Amino acid sequence: MGEFENLKKRTEELRAELDRHARLYYEDDAPEISDFQYDRLMRELMEIEEKHPELAAPDSPTQRIGGAPREGFVKVAHAEPMMSLENALNRDELAEFYTKLGEALSDESPEVLCEPKIDGLAVSLIYENGVFTRGSTRGDGQIGEDVTANLKTIRTMPLRLSVPVEGTLEVRGEVCIDKRGFAALNAAREENGEPLFANPRNAAAGSLRTLDPRETARRRLKIYLYQVIEPEKYGVKTQQRMLEWLKELGLPTQGGDRLCSSLEDIYAYLDEWETGRFEHPIDTDGVVVKLNDISLRPLLGVTAKAPKWAIAFKFPPEEKLTQIKNIEVTVGRTGVLTPTAVFDPIRLAGTTVRRAGLHNQDEIDKKDVRVGDFVWVRKAGEIIPEVVRVEYEKRPDGTEPFKLPEACPVCGSTAVRLPGEAAVKCTNSACPAQVKERIIYFASRSAMDITGLGEKLVGQLVEKKLLSNYADIYSLKEEQVAALDRMGDKSAQNLLAAIEKSKSRPLGAVINALGISNIGEKTAADLAERYNSLDVLAEKSREAVEELETVDGVGEIIAQSLHAWFTEPHNIALLDKLRAAGVRFEQEAKSAAAGPLPWNGLKFVLTGELSGMTRAQAGVLIKERGGKVAESVSKKTDFVVVGENPGSKYIKAQSLGVPVLDEAAFMAKLAAADSGDWPETAETAEN
Ligand code: IVH
């Protein structure tokens, strides 16, 4: 055998091995080799393919690694519109659907297939002669976004069908993240100080619609197919057969479906899923009921958005009754007293829940929640526990309305509620609880990023009086730290090294670390960029409050907060200490960009949840292109970028006739700006 033949054989071996190990890892949860060994095999294959492009193949496992990030998504028109489904919010609405189905078909008990409804993101996949060539999101139903590179990173999605299908085959289904992957992803984000995904759907959407496929590859997404376009071409006559055929092609289907031919059957299926879903590895938010016989579907027709031969039954969020044993009050960094209900443990959406935040006095008054009350608890987005309402009929005798204390539960100082604010605050800025929380915030990742200085250690240091404010961190001695519980010489050394390193954090991070009310990571970065000096910022805050308001995102409240903070003598002393310790107070001004930027002079407002990025990240993308980001919509606003669940800004934009961009349009605009498709002004931009 020649050298080339040998290589070809090795390539095939490697591909088969890599595919097998991917299956063991992702599908069977039973890996036989370590990640390291897997990476080594992958690298070997990549090297061969790089040297011998003639051996490369579109379905090679190397295609799953994810290419370089791109500038924006390319638009894809769907050959057949990607429709959505009508919802049935209760069993009566479902019964109505089933009756109508029967009437239209003159059949009292039409056969329907019930399938679990996956809480994910709809996608379309195209296979040409059995090879995956393109995948796209639903978008607006007519036009979606090309997410081929990101989809290829999903390990369970075949790049080649196990049975070759001639010509173009389009299949559709749902991309989602399993519950374990979701929990792991949010845990990592919490650790990194990044915003958490509210639910698995958002996590899947955010992961699939990122411009960096390498990021998608890290997220362990799953895909399940449930639809074949033009099934008659393949002799597929029923929904049940469709699912079987998808499986025969090697495409993952989620299973759990059942044929039903009466309302009773359907209800029995719902009963099972209503509880069974919590044991299911993937988040499901309902059941889809579809007319099984495909040839009869045209008799029912479609509405503008959804076919009438199917319906989605949505599960109501699970609620449980429990008794409140106590309402705990804790004190945060800014002195805010936060009430939390502590109750008898209950199982909710798969986990045990013992506590739920009650937010503030107004919320407590509105629901009239008292210690001893029986309350209904549910999880918002299946994640965050909340008290929905009190079961007043079960209220025991002798309960009293709950009032937040007038004295701080930690230091005993007066706690007050300032006019116009919802929060009750401890007035003593030296309160140990506040001191501790401020130090924890100072050391956190988005601030000074001091690894190792977490909650427990700060607690000990404050208790032992080694720290009474965050500037004291820079006077800690190695032997003091080494003498603490569960600290050795090595960890003490590491901590001191991390403290030293923090002195050169970026100026924005230092401003954020100060813990000034109403100032978070983003505003701190904007202030740093504007003034390039902490001393200049301090000076402006004391003397020129109005000027501050010309900084992005700074309004009257923030300007007042800055003024109050920088004129307070304790804080001035803190600044002196930080300066003396050598913490960064200055940064070099960014030189003005070379040449004009595509969005110079354009004003954007962001509202709602974007799936591919946070609003702060979108703001950075806008500013990098010369645009401005404002907090409120006015006639001067050029574009309002609208994510999911937008706020009143969306309504205001519509009433003022300000052009609105959804996330897809925003991404397209970014791509256009970067590809040189500008200059563009608000007048020339499409609405
Ligand atoms: S069938 C033309 N089946 O839920 C109808 N959809 O709320 C195509 N979904 O748009 C949809 N699981 O994104 C279908 N087993 C399932 C599903 C499912 C989840 C999604 C899909 C759909 C949405 C409707």
Side-chain angles (χ1 to χ4, degrees):
M1 212 165 14
E3 199 199 336
F4 183 75
E5 288 301 307
N6 273 335
L7 265 180
K8 192 165 168 223
K9 190 161 157 267
R10 179 67 186 148
T11 308
E12 281 157 16
E13 267 170 25
L14 283 167
R15 286 186 187 148
E17 269 303 275
L18 283 162
D19 281 341
R20 189 173 74 86
H21 288 301
R23 237 183 352 264
L24 285 168
Y25 185 86
Y26 288 99
E27 284 167 59
D28 307 343
D29 249 336
E32 283 176 8
I33 57 174
S34 68
D35 288 2
F36 178 75
Q37 288 168 307
Y38 181 86
D39 290 345
R40 218 164 43 183
L41 294 175
M42 184 66 93
R43 194 146 344 116
E44 187 185 341
L45 181 58
M46 277 163 80
E47 279 168 12
I48 300 179
E49 290 180 358
E50 242 163 62
K51 272 206 204 118
H52 301 274
E54 67 277 21
L55 286 175
D59 62 338
S60 169
T62 53
Q63 297 291 306
R64 296 194 188 273
I65 301 195
R70 284 150 312 134
E71 304 276 318
F73 290 109
V74 172
K75 303 277 164 197
V76 172
H78 298 301
E80 191 174 295
M82 275 183 90
M83 297 211 140
S84 178
L85 293 174
E86 291 290 344
N87 287 330
L89 295 179
N90 51 52
R91 293 190 181 201
D92 289 346
E93 290 182 14
L94 188 63
E96 200 180 314
F97 164 80
Y98 192 71
T99 312
K100 276 197 188 149
L101 209 59
E103 282 166 10
L105 302 172
S106 312
D107 173 356
E108 261 177 39
S109 47
E111 215 173 42
V112 290
L113 193 74
C114 297
E115 298 170 16
K117 178 164 148 44
I118 310 163
D119 196 11
L121 186 77
V123 290
S124 145
L125 312 179
I126 308 275
Y127 285 84
E128 298 280 357
N129 296 319
V131 177
F132 175 61
T133 52
R134 200 189 68 198
S136 53
T137 60
R138 170 168 33 220
D140 64 3
Q142 306 288 339
I143 294 179
E145 289 167 338
D146 186 327
V147 284
T148 309
N150 299 24
L151 283 167
K152 279 186 174 173
T153 68
I154 301 177
R155 306 291 167 141
T156 56
M157 200 196 75
L159 300 177
R160 182 187 289 274
L161 300 175
S162 32
V163 180
V165 175
E166 239 178 72
T168 307
L169 169 72
E170 179 175 358
V171 294
R172 293 178 182 173
E174 207 83 357
V175 167
C176 59
I177 190 164
D178 63 13
K179 291 175 185 168
R180 255 180 39 196
F182 175 71
L185 176 60
N186 259 355
R189 287 174 78 85
E190 184 157 32
E191 169 90 25
N192 291 335
E194 292 166 310
L196 303 190
F197 286 114
N199 53 51
R201 205 199 95 80
N202 285 358
S207 306
L208 187 65
R209 298 188 59 250
T210 151
L211 290 169
D212 186 352
R214 289 170 304 194
E215 194 53 38
T216 315
R218 283 192 276 273
R219 301 275 175 91
R220 293 224 196 178
L221 295 179
K222 300 259 148 97
I223 187 165
Y224 297 99
L225 288 310
Y226 46 68
Q227 197 182 4
V228 174
I229 301 301
E230 300 191 305
E232 56 290 346
K233 270 189 12 196
Y234 312 100
V236 170
K237 297 202 166 72
T238 64
Q239 180 66 24
Q240 197 175 38
R241 175 67 196 136
M242 191 182 274
L243 295 178
E244 263 169 34
W245 190 59
L246 285 165
K247 225 161 131 184
E248 284 165 23
L249 297 181
L251 289 160
T253 54
Q254 59 155 342
D257 51 285
R258 186 185 299 166
L259 215 47
C260 295
S261 31
S262 71
L263 208 48
E264 288 67 49
D265 284 359
I266 302 176
Y267 285 170
Y269 182 81
L270 293 185
D271 288 341
E272 279 170 44
W273 263 103
E274 220 150 346
T275 49
R277 67 186 172 128
F278 298 120
E279 313 307 323
H280 198 56
I282 313 151
D283 210 52
T284 50
D285 58 347
V287 162
V288 182
V289 181
K290 302 174 182 173
L291 178 60
N292 193 40
D293 188 330
I294 295 173
S295 67
L296 298 178
R297 289 177 181 176
L299 293 174
L300 284 129
V302 292
T303 67
K305 266 186 57 203
K308 290 195 200 164
W309 47 261
I311 199 156
F313 176 84
K314 293 269 200 146
F315 292 127
E318 194 192 24
E319 290 181 358
K320 286 225 174 111
L321 195 64
T322 183
Q323 189 176 25
I324 296 190
K325 294 291 174 208
N326 187 16
I327 295 178
E328 271 179 21
V329 179
T330 52
V331 184
R333 166 167 72 90
T334 53
V336 173
L337 270 51
T338 307
T340 304
V342 182
F343 38 74
D344 286 332
I346 40 172
R347 288 287 291 180
L348 261 187
T351 65
T352 302
V353 179
R354 294 186 173 79
R355 318 158 61 82
L358 293 173
H359 311 294
N360 55 46
Q361 188 68 54
D362 288 348
E363 283 293 312
I364 294 175
D365 293 348
K366 204 163 79 192
K367 293 178 184 151
D368 189 16
V369 182
R370 306 179 182 191
V371 174
D373 266 341
F374 285 85
V375 291
W376 290 96
V377 178
R378 75 166 170 220
K379 276 194 192 165
E382 284 198 12
I383 317 273
I384 303 152
E386 62 183 8
V387 170
V388 188
R389 63 182 183 282
V390 174
E391 187 68 45
Y392 294 111
E393 276 162 25
K394 295 190 87 165
R395 176 168 278 169
D397 291 338
T399 64
E400 306 243 343
F402 182 83
K403 288 281 164 241
L404 279 168
E406 286 168 12
C408 169
V410 176
C411 72
S413 306
T414 321
V416 294
R417 180 170 176 176
L418 296 174
E421 286 192 11
V424 173
K425 284 182 177 173
C426 163
T427 49
N428 171 17
S429 65
C431 166
Q434 285 188 51
V435 168
K436 185 177 146 199
E437 294 300 326
R438 279 199 296 267
I439 298 174
I440 293 170
Y441 185 77
F442 183 86
S444 68
R445 202 169 288 209
S446 70
M448 300 307 273
D449 193 18
I450 306 177
T451 314
L453 195 52
E455 190 169 342
K456 289 221 174 78
L457 191 55
V458 172
Q460 275 197 68
L461 289 162
V462 170
E463 212 170 284
K464 299 241 154 73
K465 305 222 158 34
L466 289 171
L467 294 183
S468 49
N469 56 58
Y470 49 63
D472 287 347
I473 291 173
Y474 296 99
S475 329
L476 282 174
K477 302 265 178 312
E478 201 173 304
E479 53 284 6
Q480 293 173 324
V481 177
L484 296 172
D485 288 352
R486 270 172 288 140
M487 279 301 254
D489 289 347
K490 187 71 200 148
S491 12
Q493 266 169 27
N494 287 344
L495 182 67
L496 268 96
I499 292 174
E500 191 55 35
K501 194 167 149 217
S502 74
K503 292 178 182 171
S504 46
R505 287 281 289 156
L507 184 60
V510 178
I511 296 172
N512 183 29
L514 300 176
I516 304 169
S517 294
N518 307 310
I519 293 182
E521 200 178 343
K522 182 178 167 296
T523 309
D526 289 339
L527 289 165
E529 194 176 316
R530 173 65 166 270
Y531 294 113
N532 299 305
S533 154
L534 193 46
D535 288 319
V536 173
L537 173 63
E539 186 62 27
K540 298 284 178 191
S541 301
R542 291 177 198 129
E543 313 288 343
V545 191
E546 317 74 48
E547 190 196 306
L548 293 173
E549 292 184 35
T550 62
V551 176
D552 261 354
V554 176
E556 199 183 328
I557 293 177
I558 293 184
Q560 284 309 329
S561 258
L562 286 163
H563 179 77
W565 199 90
F566 282 105
T567 46
E568 216 283 325
H570 289 102
N571 296 335
I572 296 174
L574 279 178
L575 284 177
D576 289 341
K577 265 178 138 174
L578 293 176
R579 189 187 299 100
V583 170
R584 181 198 297 276
F585 267 46
E586 310 284 330
Q587 73 179 15
E588 249 178 66
K590 274 208 194 117
S591 54
L597 289 164
W599 290 353
N600 265 344
L602 291 183
K603 280 199 200 66
F604 288 77
V605 171
L606 301 159
T607 178
E609 253 176 86
L610 300 172
S611 58
M613 62 187 89
T614 63
R615 279 200 298 273
Q617 287 167 334
V620 172
L621 293 175
I622 291 170
K623 283 185 222 156
E624 280 170 359
R625 287 156 186 80
K628 280 211 155 72
V629 180
E631 280 305 309
S632 56
V633 180
S634 74
K635 281 196 179 138
K636 289 193 200 143
T637 309
D638 293 303
F639 295 103
V640 176
V641 179
V642 178
E644 273 196 56
N645 305 318
S648 58
K649 292 172 193 174
Y650 179 40
I651 298 166
K652 182 125 186 242
Q654 287 177 317
S655 70
L656 291 176
V658 173
V660 168
L661 301 174
D662 64 10
E663 189 169 351
F666 175 61
M667 300 306 295
K669 201 171 176 60
L670 279 172
D674 296 346
S675 69
D677 259 356
W678 60 279
E680 174 172 53
T681 61
E683 289 81 57
T684 62
E686 85 278 32
N687 203 324

